[in-house]
């Protein structure tokens, strides 16, 4: 495991980690968005998870030739394993995951790093999200609150965190087959006692195109399996907060039926 780098003259290094598996038609676009960051100390680490498609392989070669971009290839093991391998190979103090078909705003990295540098208790920096591609408009996620995050995810897969926290947790769990590994990981960061810092502006762009692993995870049988796995992974935390979770579940039921105001952003 590579150790996080010492702060350089431009501030601590941020590693944008990009797991890739075919089709990787938008990989170059995702990498370019990271390289366009207004933060001066950024590296991009791409881990290809055993792609075979011609266009994906072409874009991987293109990215490998770019400055501050490192491309590594592994046998197909799934997105959690690819993210973990990318972070193992990264040198940054801070980590921002970025899926190979999404984009980030040039201000996301500098603003998120500033929050983590300012607040030693902060462990997760999120932002507002906008769809693009086959769908447009704002992505409305439940506002973060604890213990509500134990019942429903409040974040997309791209939030900035400390590399040391990833190491303390043991990385993304690789046993979630239908999605939810990012939700599980965010819960692990909160379980460390870290604070969540939401940024109020749209700094992440979430591509919508055809069927995806995310939409697949919303199928009832896959969703039930994911929820059971997350609950098992954090059994003690769920048990300690069981009464608060009952209250939160009742409040959420009231919101869904229009009896209580919707406090989503």
């Amino acid at each position: 495991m590579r150790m996080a780098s010492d702060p350089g003259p431009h501030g601590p290094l941020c590693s944008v980690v990009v797991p890739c598996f075919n089709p990787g038609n938008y990989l170059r676009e995702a990498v370019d968005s990271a390289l366009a960051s207004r933060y001066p100390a950024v590296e991009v680490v791409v881990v290809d998870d055993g792609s075979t498609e011609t266009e994906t392989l072409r874009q991987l070669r293109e990215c490998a030739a770019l400055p501050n971009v490192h491309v590594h290839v592994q046998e197909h093991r799934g997105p959690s394993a690819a993210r973990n391998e990318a972070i193992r190979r990264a040198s940054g103090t801070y980590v921002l995951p970025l899926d190979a078909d999404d984009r980030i705003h040039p201000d996301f990295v500098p603003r998120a790093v500033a929050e983590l540098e300012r607040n030693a208790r902060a462990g997760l920096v999120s932002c507002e999200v906008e769809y693009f591609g086959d769908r447009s408009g704002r992505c409305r996620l439940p506002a973060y609150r604890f213990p509500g995050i134990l019942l429903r995810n409040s974040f997309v897969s791209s939030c900035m965190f400390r590399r040391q926290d990833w190491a303390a947790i043991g990385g993304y769990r690789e046993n979630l087959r239908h999605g939810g590994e990012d939700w599980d990981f965010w819960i692990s960061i909160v379980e460390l006692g870290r604070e969540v810092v939401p940024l109020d502006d749209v700094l992440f762009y979430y591509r919508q195109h055809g069927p995806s692993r995310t939409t697949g995870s919303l199928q009832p049988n896959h969703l039930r399996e994911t929820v059971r796995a997350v609950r098992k992974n954090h059994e003690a935390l769920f048990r300690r907060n069981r009464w608060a979770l009952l209250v939160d579940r009742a409040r959420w039921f009231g919101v869904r039926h229009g009896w209580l105001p919707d406090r989503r952003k």
Side-chain angles (χ1 to χ4, degrees), residues 124 143-155 182-183 186-187 190 196 230 237-238 245 248:
L124 190 64
Y144 169 76
R145 58 173 56 85
F146 186 86
I149 192 172
L150 302 182
L151 299 177
R152 66 197 70 86
N153 192 10
S154 297
F155 311 112
D182 50 339
W183 176 34
W186 308 145
I187 292 174
V190 171
V196 174
V230 169
L237 186 64
F238 274 83
L245 286 171
D248 192 90

Side-chain angles (χ1 to χ4, degrees), residues 208-229:
Q208 304 292 288
H209 58 100
S212 71
R213 190 166 170 274
T214 301
T215 55
S217 72
L218 296 178
Q219 295 174 12
N221 57 325
H222 292 168
L223 180 59
R224 285 193 294 270
E225 182 178 330
T226 297
V227 169
R228 283 196 297 268

Side-chain angles (χ1 to χ4, degrees), residues 64-83:
L66 297 172
N68 301 319
V69 177
H70 315 282
V71 175
H72 307 277
V73 177
Q74 66 178 24
E75 294 183 356
H76 183 61
R77 293 166 51 205
S80 289
R83 283 196 190 106

Side-chain angles (χ1 to χ4, degrees), residues 2-246:
R2 294 171 65 180
M3 300 301 293
S5 61
D6 294 328
H10 302 296
L13 182 66
C14 174
S15 299
V16 179
V17 298
V18 184
C20 178
F21 182 65
N22 41 236
N25 298 1
Y26 306 107
L27 173 63
R28 177 65 189 269
E29 192 175 338
V31 169
D32 283 345
S33 79
L35 294 176
S37 171
R38 293 192 176 100
Y39 187 70
V42 172
E43 68 168 359
V44 180
V45 182
V46 179
V47 168
D48 177 66
D49 196 35
S51 294
T52 56
E53 293 187 358
T54 301
E55 176 60 17
T56 305
L57 298 176
R58 185 190 70 79
Q59 294 206 20
L60 284 165
R61 290 192 297 271
E62 276 190 9
C63 291
L66 297 172
N68 301 319
V69 177
H70 315 282
V71 175
H72 307 277
V73 177
Q74 66 178 24
E75 294 183 356
H76 183 61
R77 293 166 51 205
S80 289
R83 283 196 190 106
N84 285 334
E85 183 62 22
I87 298 170
R88 274 190 288 270
R89 293 177 175 273
S91 300
T93 301
Y94 302 122
V95 175
L96 178 64
L98 176 63
D99 285 351
D101 53 354
D102 296 328
R103 298 195 311 238
I104 57 173
H105 189 281
D107 289 336
F108 190 7
V109 172
R111 290 185 58 183
V113 168
E115 292 294 339
L116 293 171
E117 287 285 285
R118 181 185 61 82
N119 182 0
R121 296 184 301 277
L124 190 64
V125 182
S126 66
C127 68
E128 291 292 292
V129 177
E130 190 171 272
Y131 293 122
F132 74 110
D134 292 347
R135 178 181 177 185
S136 60
R138 294 286 281 271
C139 174
R140 285 170 55 80
L141 294 166
Y144 169 76
R145 58 173 56 85
F146 186 86
I149 192 172
L150 302 182
L151 299 177
R152 66 197 70 86
N153 192 10
S154 297
F155 311 112
V156 292
S157 59
S158 289
C159 296
M160 188 177 291
F161 54 88
R162 302 175 189 272
R163 191 175 186 275
Q164 68 184 41
D165 288 347
W166 169 85
I169 291 165
Y172 288 85
R173 285 188 172 90
E174 300 179 13
N175 64 340
L176 292 163
R177 299 183 302 160
H178 303 297
E181 68 280 348
D182 50 339
W183 176 34
D184 181 88
F185 185 73
W186 308 145
I187 292 174
S188 295
I189 289 181
V190 171
E191 201 167 7
L192 292 176
R194 291 296 196 183
E195 296 177 1
V196 174
V197 179
L199 301 175
D200 292 334
D201 296 316
V202 172
L203 301 172
F204 176 74
Y205 303 99
Y206 187 14
R207 189 186 298 272
Q208 304 292 288
H209 58 100
S212 71
R213 190 166 170 274
T214 301
T215 55
S217 72
L218 296 178
Q219 295 174 12
N221 57 325
H222 292 168
L223 180 59
R224 285 193 294 270
E225 182 178 330
T226 297
V227 169
R228 283 196 297 268
V230 169
R231 188 181 183 98
K232 184 176 181 180
N233 289 342
H234 305 277
E235 189 172 358
L237 186 64
F238 274 83
R239 189 166 53 248
R240 288 197 303 271
N241 292 277
R242 59 187 179 276
W243 298 116
L245 286 171
L246 284 173

